[in-house]
Amino acid sequence: MMQKHLVSLVVPVFNRDAFLSETIESVISQTHTNWELILIDDGSADESFKIAQNFAQNDSRIISAQRKREPKGAPTCRNIGLDMATGDFMMFLDSDDLLSVNCLKNRVAKLTAEPDLDFVVYQTALFDAQTMLADRLWSSLKHQSDLQAFVDFEGWCISSTCFRTDFVKHYRFFETAKCLQDWSFHIEILKSKPAYQKFPESAPDVYIRAGHSDRISQTNTESLERVKSRFDVLDKVELSLQSEAELSMDDGLLRQYFLYLQNVAIQRSKSEFNALLKSMGYFTRRKSFKLSRIKFFIRLHSTIKSSGLGFLNGLLFRLNRHVFMPKLAGPTRRIIRLDKPFKVK
């Protein structure tokens, strides 16, 4: 018998033919069978769209579509899927995520039992694609202020949430953002003081492939356009949060500026670095001793690199992390390692 509540799952797809079938199969295998899977292709050059079409031809619950408008990117695809969704509840997935068989069943049960909740948040785990062992949680989910947790880059990921559709349709992803889209999307939602519940002790019900996350090390190979987009999103969020007096942004957003700019200073030419720095509203708008120290160390990185002494940047990087600015230069505390890794089925 078909379950009462329809769940919409929106997945942006771009060149994921190696993993897409597994993601779709994990949805097909759900014990809650009343769902619609909306796959929005972003102009894939591989077999991704063909794979999605083949599944759609064999299962009426699967919808395969292509992005027909600009700009290109996952946030546009997610917004298109958001407009197409007809379910009572809604989730966003990445095209290489995997769901446990009871993922939809458990999330729907909670939202059905608690009609006043706008969304729920469950645990997600990262797994190694070679061993299929999940050994880390994306986030502890135990923060007292989740808005602060997102500012500190310690919040949950996009697939952790299951929304009531009539609630989430009031929000949109930043379509011009080439990165940090999920992060800024959740911040906009949390600003509105929604009703939600987290389940930090829940068994992970979505599995994310390690190595496909938006890591700071990827800045090394990013185009300047993408780097600029990253800072534009940070700047936009910082402006939107200025009225949130209870937030401490110096150890959150400022930290991200420092970590990413540090890599830009090391990897890019001095002229490219200076041009990027001048274009950033954050640095022209704010003044503080901490910000002055950051500017000094970032410019020092750039000067060392342009002087042909790049090997010294590694030493400076370690000194910043452990001596000069450990709170700003150290790694985030988001990832939680599991004592007992488990096999993803």
Side-chain angles (χ1 to χ4, degrees), residues 107 119-124 137-147 149-151 153-163 182-187 189-190 194 196-199 208 334:
R107 296 185 182 199
F119 62 92
V120 291
V121 187
Y122 281 78
Q123 280 293 7
T124 55
L137 297 178
W138 183 275
S139 169
S140 71
L141 300 185
K142 294 182 179 180
H143 303 91
Q144 186 172 6
S145 168
D146 291 312
L147 187 55
F150 270 91
V151 169
F153 281 72
E154 296 176 8
W156 54 79
C157 68
I158 191 67
S159 53
S160 299
T161 46
C162 187
F163 297 98
D182 307 348
W183 174 77
S184 54
F185 180 73
H186 280 111
I187 284 179
I189 288 175
L190 289 170
Y196 65 99
Q197 187 173 354
K198 301 180 294 179
F199 297 90
I208 302 168
R334 175 172 57 81

Side-chain angles (χ1 to χ4, degrees), residues 77-100:
C77 293
R78 287 195 176 112
N79 284 341
I80 292 171
L82 187 56
D83 290 333
M84 293 172 62
T86 62
D88 301 300
F89 308 127
M90 186 170 182
M91 284 181 61
F92 297 98
L93 300 178
D94 286 333
S95 54
D96 57 351
D97 289 347
L98 299 176
L99 280 68
S100 71

Side-chain angles (χ1 to χ4, degrees), residues 30-91:
Q30 291 298 295
T31 53
H32 181 95
T33 58
N34 192 16
W35 47 261
E36 61 177 7
L37 176 60
I38 304 171
L39 303 163
I40 308 296
D41 190 83
D42 194 34
S44 296
D46 61 6
E47 297 295 306
S48 295
F49 184 56
K50 184 177 179 180
I51 290 170
Q53 284 183 308
N54 288 340
F55 273 101
Q57 288 171 2
N58 295 312
D59 193 326
S60 61
R61 298 172 296 177
I62 299 174
I63 302 164
S64 175
Q66 290 178 301
R67 175 184 53 79
K68 298 293 186 181
R69 64 175 177 82
E70 298 297 328
K72 174 179 173 57
T76 300
C77 293
R78 287 195 176 112
N79 284 341
I80 292 171
L82 187 56
D83 290 333
M84 293 172 62
T86 62
D88 301 300
F89 308 127
M90 186 170 182
M91 284 181 61

Side-chain angles (χ1 to χ4, degrees), residues 34 100 120 190 224 227 235 263 265 287 290 331:
N34 192 16
S100 71
V120 291
L190 289 170
L224 278 178
V227 172
D235 198 51
N263 270 348
K287 292 183 179 180
K290 189 178 291 186

